[in-house]
Amino acid sequence: MIAPDSLRELPLQGVAIRPLLPGDLVRVQEIERLSHSHPWSESVFLDCFQDNYRLWALAREEQVLGYAIVNYMVDEAHLLNICIHPDIRGCGAGRYLLRHALAEAAHDGMAMMILEVRESNQGAAALYLSEGFEEIGRRPGYYPNGATRETARVMSLRFT
Ligand SMILES: CC(C)(COP(=O)(O)OP(=O)(O)OC[C@H]1O[C@@H](n2cnc3c(N)ncnc32)[C@H](O)[C@@H]1OP(=O)(O)O)[C@@H](O)C(=O)NCCC(=O)NCCS
């Protein structure tokens, strides 16, 4: 019999993190459209394939199930996008990917990670807070939201 704890782990079996490649973008766009009211376009993703970015894919075999995009500016790592396929949310994949991005940023000499999250996105905010992020401010009207705009919570986590 399988213990409840390992059942929860099961969807992550065989999952690994590797650099995201331009060839992944068709699949990434699929996940992006399933996940966001205002998905990033392919050209926005393509602009991130530069030296001062880290692009991570969470994949099982060759199938991408999630991704994280991080921009490095001086000693600040800015988490621009993190997304997990809706079918495997709630199984720890988001936390696993976030921890990887944090560990790599610290390893690359960054002093902190900063991010914005929609005020309404309580799930993502709960993840960040539980990893030690603190809210350091708000940016009113930061996000498009139909005919109106939505406030962003700005959060940061210092590594040292
Ligand atoms: C945010 C996201 C990346 C989290 O990934 P995930 O794989 O579902 O998250 P995990 O299973 O690793 O959960 C980690 C923690 O996040 C929080 N969390 C995740 N989803 C939640 C939800 N729907 N409601 C409340 N808390 C939630 C919990 O604190 C959870 O910890 P717990 O399981 O110990 O309670 C994922 O929901 C997603 O891709 N959302 C759409 C895109 C998005 O909103 N990205 C963030 C933009 S800032």
Side-chain angles (χ1 to χ4, degrees):
M1 189 168 138
I2 305 173
D5 273 2
S6 47
L7 257 184
R8 190 172 145 71
E9 299 292 320
L10 225 46
L12 285 185
Q13 274 185 4
V15 157
I17 297 174
R18 60 160 172 81
L20 187 79
L21 304 169
D24 295 321
L25 288 185
V26 171
R27 169 72 173 166
V28 163
Q29 291 252 262
E30 231 177 88
I31 300 173
E32 186 74 7
R33 281 193 290 265
L34 288 171
S35 304
H36 293 292
S37 54
H38 297 79
W40 280 16
S41 66
E42 186 186 35
S43 67
V44 171
F45 280 102
L46 282 171
D47 282 348
C48 297
F49 286 89
Q50 298 185 47
D51 287 350
N52 58 328
Y53 287 77
R54 295 292 177 274
L55 297 91
W56 301 113
L58 178 125
R60 184 185 284 128
E61 292 166 3
E62 271 314 293
Q63 189 174 49
V64 173
L65 297 168
Y67 44 89
I69 314 294
V70 184
N71 174 229
Y72 289 174
M73 264 201 351
V74 193
D75 63 352
E76 254 183 47
H78 195 159
L79 181 66
L80 300 177
N81 195 337
I82 181 165
C83 195
I84 299 294
H85 192 288
D87 286 352
I88 66 153
R89 285 189 197 149
C91 301
R95 192 184 296 285
Y96 182 54
L97 185 56
L98 177 62
R99 283 185 179 176
H100 177 87
L102 285 165
E104 288 289 328
H107 181 259
D108 289 336
M110 298 295 114
M112 64 187 290
M113 185 171 278
I114 187 162
L115 60 85
E116 287 87 18
V117 56
R118 283 179 184 267
E119 227 176 9
S120 61
N121 196 347
Q122 292 180 1
L127 167 61
Y128 303 139
L129 291 169
S130 70
E131 285 298 313
F133 280 83
E134 288 176 339
E135 184 171 324
I136 55 167
R138 295 201 170 212
R139 298 193 210 280
Y142 185 79
Y143 289 110
N145 189 26
T148 60
R149 311 281 303 179
E150 182 172 353
T151 295
R153 300 170 72 181
V154 185
M155 294 188 177
S156 75
L157 173 62
R158 295 203 69 86
F159 302 149
T160 49

